Amino acid sequence: MKFLFVGSSPDHGGAEVHFTALAQALQEQGHGVEAMVDPRGFIAAELARANVPLHRRRFRNVIDPCAHARLHRAIRDFRPDALIGNFGKDYWPLVLAGRMAKVPVALFRHSVTALNPLSSRWLPRLAHSYFAVSHYARAVYADHGMDAQCVQVLHNPVDVRRFQHAEQVRAQVLAELDIPQDAIVVGYCGRMRSKGIYTLLEASALAMARDPRVHCLWVGEDGGGELRSAAAFLPHADRHRFTGLVDDTERYYSAFSMLAFPSLAPETFGRVSIEAQACGIPVLGSDIGGVPETLIPGSSGLLLPPGDARAWKRGILALCDPAARAAMAVAGRAFVEQRFSYPVIAGQLVARMQAGR
């Protein structure tokens, strides 16, 4: 099949990573892929690196006439079998273009904020496929009044060739950060705001008091440095390391002994959880939102009550056992390969787009 992706976002978040990963997954399975994207930012750069042909134009708003003309030219020239959209600004232009060109449209929704009543009622009915990225999100959309029968679930894909454990890389990262090679590294990856990071900070301090091998590695943007400042006043402050924003997160997963995903507010899904498990890293995740769909509790990780620092301390100490981590590493990698790998998710999308055509 041939897929034309349309993405007007210049940002670098979960929806943008999903957009590029899904395009690459289809391309790797031998499907034709082109994309009409904002010429700035992450999406254009990532797809250019993957040699996806780009139409560099974005929708400034729903009625942007130049963008509509560019989209119709791309459809005419490429003759796609399906149009794919991830961002709210692109939903109505894609539905209208798909109807005019008689091309099926698949829309992905990543946020759980409510759409306006018109869009909530009609977009899932007018699109060929309307996807939530978790069962949790689908339930929230139904609570907002959307017809759940019009919403399907298709999880995020992950490149299991890119995300895999490398012991040599682990040794290099630990040496670069001056962390002992025998350390038990509690890793966090993501933006350091509104994700329960202070629960994890408290829990890690309690775990460090119990086990001198425990260290914390914080990967991501620390805004104004508030978390780093807070860690400096804790006992064992010398066991915390901060990398800042990085592009090669898979490298740091290899250095983790476990990933902590301590969200307080419900996450729509939780990509970092499946990326870490692909790298053979057990996950401590908050039992909230879409996070439970990203791991096998007791097998590839542990679900813990959000905001309960003492429960998170117990979870960290439980995974200080190397035998427990080794078993979870094998289970987690197999789980991701079977549920979230590029061939699996690309195959599911193709099957659903072909259904009813």
Side-chain angles (χ1 to χ4, degrees), residues 4 22 44 71 90 127 161 198 201 263 298 347:
L4 178 61
L22 189 60
L71 175 56
D90 305 323
R161 295 179 303 176
Y198 290 98
L201 187 64
S263 299

Side-chain angles (χ1 to χ4, degrees), residues 19 54 58 73 78 92 98 130 142 159 182 194 202 204 212 216 219 236 239 247 256 260 287 329 332-333:
F19 185 91
L54 299 181
R58 68 185 178 96
R73 286 200 302 272
F78 184 46
W92 280 109
Y130 190 93
D159 184 352
D182 63 347
S194 302
E202 181 183 353
S204 65
C216 274
V219 177
H236 315 297
R239 291 197 240 161
D247 292 325
F256 294 171
D287 191 5
R333 174 75 182 182

Side-chain angles (χ1 to χ4, degrees), residues 8 13 16 22 36 42 65 81 105 114 162 167 182 186 200 214 225 233 237 251 269 274 289 320 327 330-331 356:
S8 292
E16 290 77 19
L22 189 60
M36 177 175 152
F42 169 77
D81 299 299
V105 174
R162 173 185 173 190
E167 193 62 33
D182 63 347
V186 180
L200 177 58
V214 174
F233 287 97
R251 186 168 183 265
F269 181 62
I274 60 172
C320 286
V330 174

Side-chain angles (χ1 to χ4, degrees), residues 36 57 59 64-76:
M36 177 175 152
R57 171 70 68 173
F59 279 94
D64 184 341
C66 292
H68 277 282
R70 190 68 187 90
L71 175 56
H72 284 286
R73 286 200 302 272
I75 293 171
R76 180 197 64 202

